[in-house]
Amino acid sequence: GTIHDITEQVLARKEIQSLNGELETRVRERTAELQAANKELESFAYSISHDLRAPLRGIDGFSHLLAEEYADRLDETGRSYLDRVRRAAQRMGTLIDDILELARVTRLGMRRSSVDLSEIAREILDERMRSAPGSAVQVVLESGCSAHGDPQLLRVLLQNLLENAWKYSGKESAPRIEFGCTVANGERVFHVRDNGVGFDMQYAGRLFAPFQRLHNPEAFEGTGIGLATVARVVTRHGGRVWAESAPGQGATFRFTLGQAHGDDQ
């Protein structure tokens, strides 16, 4: 007969079983933490949506009534003050909408499919042109730029990038917006380019953080949430996003969307 010492094999098997048990426990704990965080986020979004909107509507509404019904008792300075109050309340309402959009993008379940980004870009810009019929923006769209991702989230991504390009090129004499894609190192890279005011690349690290703005809000309205939303959508797809620009020379935003996984995240 032959005798084999299997002590090491038994010990190794027990260690593997112990590690698997620890891993399952950690996964359950992490899942519970994520569920709790999502509930807190939903509660926060609900509070923002309902508890903050009501007083803002009151401020805007009563300021409007005051301006309308007491116009003959107000001088130019008084009317200017009321106008500032109304515009501030309306900007706050827009900020609330953008924060809710960022929260929705963060918690929204993903359903991946084949998405024609060129067609989505065309729809977004067509709608933008209909809302500004006098605009002279030249649009250059490359066809066939497709991706595998969540259609709803990718529309949000392109909406923010294209409206950003529209805004910052709007003061040019011949504004131009481009959307296209290339392949680099086997990876599809999409881009949105404009010929607008651009920005200094030393501040590029601030672009995708919430509430960060590189331009004077008096010159270009905005809340500083749009590019943070873009970054979140790209991250959820396992991709990257970056920008290239120089003052007065427009900007190019590039992004990838990772590999096709076919599962929800």
Side-chain angles (χ1 to χ4, degrees):
T2 303
I3 298 175
H4 296 282
D5 187 352
I6 62 171
T7 302
E8 292 185 1
Q9 296 178 20
V10 172
L11 292 176
R13 187 179 300 114
K14 288 183 178 180
E15 185 176 357
I16 291 173
Q17 291 173 346
S18 176
L19 290 174
N20 285 338
E22 291 179 9
L23 180 60
E24 290 176 1
T25 300
R26 290 180 182 177
V27 169
R28 285 195 298 269
E29 291 174 351
R30 183 58 176 160
T31 301
E33 290 173 0
L34 289 173
Q35 290 174 343
N38 282 335
K39 287 182 179 179
E40 289 180 3
L41 185 59
E42 290 176 4
S43 176
F44 174 69
Y46 179 87
S47 178
I48 288 178
S49 179
H50 293 270
D51 297 343
L52 293 184
R53 285 185 189 279
L56 279 176
R57 285 195 297 267
I59 292 171
D60 186 39
F62 282 112
S63 297
H64 176 69
L65 288 175
L66 188 60
E68 289 287 324
E69 298 182 9
Y70 292 83
D72 56 337
R73 306 183 196 180
L74 295 171
D75 59 13
E76 187 64 29
T77 301
R79 287 191 290 271
S80 174
Y81 288 162
L82 279 178
D83 183 58
R84 290 184 184 183
V85 169
R86 291 199 66 199
R87 283 190 281 117
Q90 290 164 4
R91 283 198 301 271
M92 185 64 182
T94 301
L95 178 59
I96 289 174
D97 290 338
D98 289 347
I99 291 175
L100 289 174
E101 179 68 13
L102 180 59
R104 187 182 69 84
V105 164
T106 300
R107 70 179 190 273
L108 188 66
M110 288 182 61
R111 296 291 183 271
R112 292 178 181 266
S113 62
S114 180
V115 182
D116 187 342
L117 295 184
S118 296
E119 183 58 31
I120 292 178
R122 187 180 308 280
E123 292 172 2
I124 292 170
L125 289 171
D126 284 349
E127 182 178 348
R128 195 69 181 83
M129 288 179 177
R130 284 195 294 270
S131 66
S135 174
V137 175
Q138 179 186 7
V139 172
V140 179
L141 295 177
E142 181 180 340
S143 61
C145 293
S146 61
H148 191 79
D150 183 273
Q152 190 173 354
L153 290 179
L154 293 181
R155 179 175 288 273
V156 169
L157 182 156
L158 283 178
Q159 185 92 37
N160 280 286
L161 286 180
L162 291 170
E163 289 191 353
N164 210 53
W166 185 285
K167 175 170 62 177
Y168 289 111
S169 64
K171 296 184 179 181
E172 300 298 314
S173 58
R176 177 185 173 93
I177 297 174
E178 302 176 22
F179 172 73
C181 59
T182 57
V183 176
N185 299 320
E187 185 177 39
R188 179 160 283 194
V189 181
F190 305 91
H191 67 264
V192 172
R193 180 179 295 120
D194 67 71
N195 65 340
V197 295
F199 58 87
D200 192 327
M201 284 296 290
Q202 69 173 313
Y203 303 114
R206 296 165 45 189
L207 279 173
F208 302 103
F211 309 114
Q212 296 295 317
R213 294 177 52 82
L214 304 187
H215 299 91
N216 188 334
E218 298 299 325
F220 298 97
E221 292 187 357
T223 59
I225 297 293
L227 290 180
T229 301
V230 167
R232 184 57 184 147
V233 172
V234 168
T235 299
R236 293 198 64 190
H237 282 81
R240 300 172 294 121
V241 59
W242 65 98
E244 302 160 4
S245 183
Q249 297 182 32
T252 301
F253 286 84
R254 304 184 191 276
F255 63 93
T256 65
L257 295 171
Q259 301 299 318
H261 298 294
D263 296 324
D264 300 343
Q265 291 186 2

